[in-house]
Amino acid sequence: MIPAPVTAKQSFLLFLIKPSHYDDEGYVIQWARSSIPSNTLAVLNGLALDCAQREVLGGNVEIRITVCDETNTRVRPREIIRQIREAGGRGLVGLIGVQTNQFPRAVDIARPLRAAGIAVCIGGFHVSGCIAMLPDIPPGLQEAMDLGITLFAGELEGRLEPLLRAAWDNQLHPLYNFMNDLPGLEGAVVPYLPAEVVRRTSGIRTSFDAGRGCPFLCSFCTIINVQGRKSRARNADDIERIVRENVAQGVRNFFSTDDNFARNRNWESMFDRLIKMREEDGLRFHIVAQVDTMAHKIRGFIDKAGRAGVNRVFIGLENINPDALKQAQKGQNQITEYRAMLQAWHRVGALTFAGYILGFPGDTPASITRDIGIIQRELPIDLLEFFILTPLPGSADHKKLHLAGVEMDGDMNKYDSVHVTTRHDTMSDEELLSIYRKAWDLYYTPKHVETVLRRAKVRGYSPRNMMTKLLIFCAVPRLEKLHPLEGGLFRRKYRRDRRPGMPFESRLAFYGRYTLDILAKHLRLAAMYWQYRRILKRVEADSSPYTDLAIEPVQKEELDTLELYTTTPAARFALEKLRRKSSARAEAAAKIP
Ligand code: B12
Ligand code: SF4
């Protein structure tokens, strides 16, 4: 952690800590460098800096802020207690952006702090999701409040100042609930992380949320119940400020965490401003964005995104079976649009990362295997990432199961989309977990890696860059059994940072195993690298023209031939529906005089 500077004024120490969670052996998931920065940390740091500048605790109190992302920095509660005591005993530890899987770890960090009398507040999606959707306070939240931890549901914009005052006066409430009062974002304080914090992520990338909220209704999604279905957006001036402030500190890569940039009501004015900054002012920067599968239908969206510097998109494809999409209330995902949409992103030079969920009611190991094959052959996706369908607290799925009394795993640490947390209709827990783990191997075969590299070469994207991305993406689940989003460079483990209830290992056993584990993983990584490198050399050396089904331009006739549309009854039905719709449209057009 970066210690706050010491001064003569009275001090109030504010620690903003984004907790990680535990791996299956009970060790904190932590890296020398994590992969993606925490936007919540950037947002809260921005709000805290604003309060510090405005001296909201009075002119003689200095608010000293320490930010820390536990995925790349060790958290030592004893050190925090020492620092607060040495500074006069006034302070607040905010455990921030706490997802369900991070809640147990957050409470474990809080326990010694509370025992030492330090004020602790937990906010984020777990607290907000539970408060928004459940009729009662779940036992985990109650336990936290019983420990004297303050819980905060809702968003902090405009609310940090009274919270800090309450902490200063020692008058924090057990629970703040602002779920019915979502703040506007236009002109709100913008997210900001100092460069030394950003450098702890592998891509030297920072983040911002250009807006919150999504209009759709996916039943597994928590976002609509926590952040609402109305787009609350920042404005072009805010975005320009965020980019300029970061470029000034040498940070040129951004992750825009909006779950659906395509539905941000200010997308166009923001893109226009970013285009101006790139094309007229000559600024160099790139943006990773999350979009939906119908973004190509919004006039000008993809072209402007490309010009605005969007070079990677995360797309919630979720499934290629229309039945599964219907069950998840994801009617906006039309499989007949997937190919056109993916090709449109490639045309502007953006990499396509698609999310794919396993464990829908109709899924079986055989259907999952078949569908991955179809995706490989027919959809021009670069990187595919798999999730297990998980009833995340805050989602309609979770609420339904909770109210119906269906059994769900009581260990919140497992709600990370790579563990099975509730029973599937036909697959046993072991079967689902096993096909989930196998899915990565099924997609990232040497043959398909070669195909993706060849496709990249055809469209002028560096096969070498693509190889690195493919390698990193499939190495994390293979070697660490974690999702790539939770990955990083060089796994760090501390013997004493083990989940309470699991014994401390002896030094010999711990360091012996840790060393062997690191060696074994790096050897396997090196072997994967050499395999991928051989593939890369072959692709680079081959100058013959290349094409395949996935990158062939979309044609009408393909609707009768591609497996995507012909394999399942639901796909055939979706196709029929599409045909009926277009002939009705054609008839209507013919009637216009
Ligand atoms: C960016 C992102 C990530 C990033 C970084 C994490 C981060 N928080 O920045 C990465 C890629 C690492 C990531 C990974 C995962 N994520 Co994620 N992620 C997001 C995403 C898209 C944006 C987060 C964000 O910036 N939100 C905007 C901020 C400002 O909102 P906020 O966090 O709620 O914070 C506000 C309030 O909650 C409150 N607040 C927050 N903390 C505190 C603390 C205090 C003291 C106070 C007073 C107030 C307060 O004030 C904040 C400002 O208004 C969210 C979806 C979303 N729309 O939020 C999913 C989301 C948080 N992720 C989710 C999940 C499940 C995951 C993964 C497990 C994998 C997966 N299935 O996607 C992994 C977990 C790994 C990990 N170690 O984090 C879920 C969590 C749901 C839940 N109930 O747990 C979400 C909601 C998406 C979803 N699928 O539903 N994620
Ligand atoms: S499109 Fe994405 S953000 Fe919107 S409701 Fe569905 S899962 Fe949630």
Side-chain angles (χ1 to χ4, degrees), residues 213-225 227-229 258-260 263 290-293 316 318 328-330 332-333 357:
C214 174
F216 296 123
L217 274 168
C218 310
S219 67
F220 54 79
C221 178
T222 61
I223 291 140
I224 38 182
N225 305 313
Q227 298 184 331
R229 293 184 54 212
D258 298 43
D259 296 280
N260 196 343
R263 308 296 147 179
Q290 307 190 85
V291 291
D292 65 50
T293 53
E318 323 302 16
Q329 293 195 48
K330 192 132 195 169
Q332 73 274 18
N333 275 23
I357 300 179

Side-chain angles (χ1 to χ4, degrees), residues 186-221:
E186 228 159 304
V189 175
V190 294
Y192 175 76
L193 283 176
E196 66 265 27
V197 175
V198 177
R199 288 215 174 84
R200 293 181 180 161
T201 60
S202 44
I204 312 191
R205 174 174 287 114
T206 195
S207 66
F208 62 82
D209 50 343
R212 298 177 198 157
C214 174
F216 296 123
L217 274 168
C218 310
S219 67
F220 54 79
C221 178

Side-chain angles (χ1 to χ4, degrees), residues 18 36-40 43-44 71 94-97 99-102 121 123-125 128 152 154-157 163 209 212 222-223 227 255 257 259 290 387 392-393 416-417 485-486:
K18 166 89 183 153
I36 301 187
S38 166
N39 179 55
T40 314
V43 169
L44 264 71
T71 61
L95 294 161
I96 65 115
Q99 302 173 2
T100 299
N101 66 83
Q102 297 154 348
C121 181
F125 259 68
S128 294
F152 187 97
E155 297 180 6
L156 195 56
E157 279 77 7
L163 193 81
D209 50 343
R212 298 177 198 157
T222 61
I223 291 140
Q227 298 184 331
F255 177 27
T257 60
D259 296 280
Q290 307 190 85
F387 300 93
L392 292 169
D416 57 1
S417 311
L485 292 179
E486 288 206 70

Side-chain angles (χ1 to χ4, degrees), residues 314-374:
F314 281 93
I315 305 157
L317 202 72
E318 323 302 16
N319 211 276
I320 58 165
N321 187 333
D323 267 348
L325 295 167
K326 203 166 147 202
Q327 274 149 2
Q329 293 195 48
K330 192 132 195 169
Q332 73 274 18
N333 275 23
Q334 303 290 322
I335 60 164
T336 44
E337 293 293 335
Y338 283 0
R339 280 171 41 74
M341 174 271 296
L342 292 161
Q343 290 185 2
W345 282 112
H346 278 165
R347 272 197 293 280
V348 299
L351 283 190
T352 54
F353 288 60
Y356 202 78
I357 300 179
L358 309 181
F360 283 111
D363 281 349
T364 63
S367 72
I368 290 170
T369 308
R370 176 200 64 205
D371 292 348
I372 291 174
I374 295 176

Side-chain angles (χ1 to χ4, degrees), residues 267 271 295-307 340-341 344-346 348:
W267 70 263
F271 280 167
H296 61 303
K297 293 281 186 189
I298 304 172
R299 192 188 296 263
F301 182 81
I302 292 187
D303 283 337
K304 287 199 174 182
R307 288 173 60 203
M341 174 271 296
W345 282 112
H346 278 165
V348 299

Side-chain angles (χ1 to χ4, degrees), residues 376-390:
Q376 286 171 320
R377 290 187 292 277
E378 300 182 355
L379 293 179
I381 289 168
D382 299 313
L383 291 110
L384 191 62
E385 45 172 340
F386 299 98
F387 300 93
I388 295 177
L389 184 63
T390 303

